[in-house]
Amino acid sequence: MQTAHDNELGEQQRQLLRLMAQGFPDTTIARRLSLGPRTLARRISELYAVLGVETRFQAGAAAERLGLLAPARPVRAQRHLAITPGTARRKVS
């Protein structure tokens, strides 16, 4: 489902929103987008204005609403190896 906000967001804004929603700190986001800290702060402010939000949390909710976040993958049970004294490794479920 597309919204007016989705049509207003450019690719760089979508990328910024994805990184923010994934919980990356500003330093990591700036490095990944090749931006300085002040430029990043300005871009975040602009993004908030386009989305009509005031907080990072609200921006993350908007990213989810716009379908910009990958769906969570189900966690599969993993088999672990256990070592018991006097025995070789064996699989434990």
Side-chain angles (χ1 to χ4, degrees):
M1 176 176 141
Q2 284 193 338
T3 66
H5 295 309
D6 190 31
N7 293 330
E8 294 174 23
L9 293 179
E11 184 54 38
Q12 289 181 341
Q13 288 176 316
R14 288 187 180 120
Q15 188 176 14
L16 171 59
L17 185 54
R18 269 189 227 104
L19 293 170
M20 289 173 57
Q22 291 170 353
F24 288 104
D26 286 354
T27 53
T28 303
I29 295 172
R31 188 172 50 250
R32 286 192 177 194
L33 299 179
S34 301
L35 301 173
R38 291 175 67 185
T39 302
L40 178 63
R42 188 181 77 246
R43 296 243 177 116
I44 290 172
S45 293
E46 292 167 355
L47 180 62
Y48 285 0
V50 169
L51 295 173
V53 301
E54 297 178 2
T55 68
R56 207 173 187 99
F57 180 82
Q58 291 171 337
E64 185 173 347
R65 204 173 42 251
L66 295 172
L68 298 176
L69 303 179
R73 289 188 245 158
V75 178
R76 290 187 280 155
Q78 297 180 356
R79 295 180 179 226
H80 299 280
L81 296 178
I83 300 175
T84 55
T87 63
R89 290 185 182 183
R90 60 189 177 110
K91 289 184 180 179
V92 176
S93 301

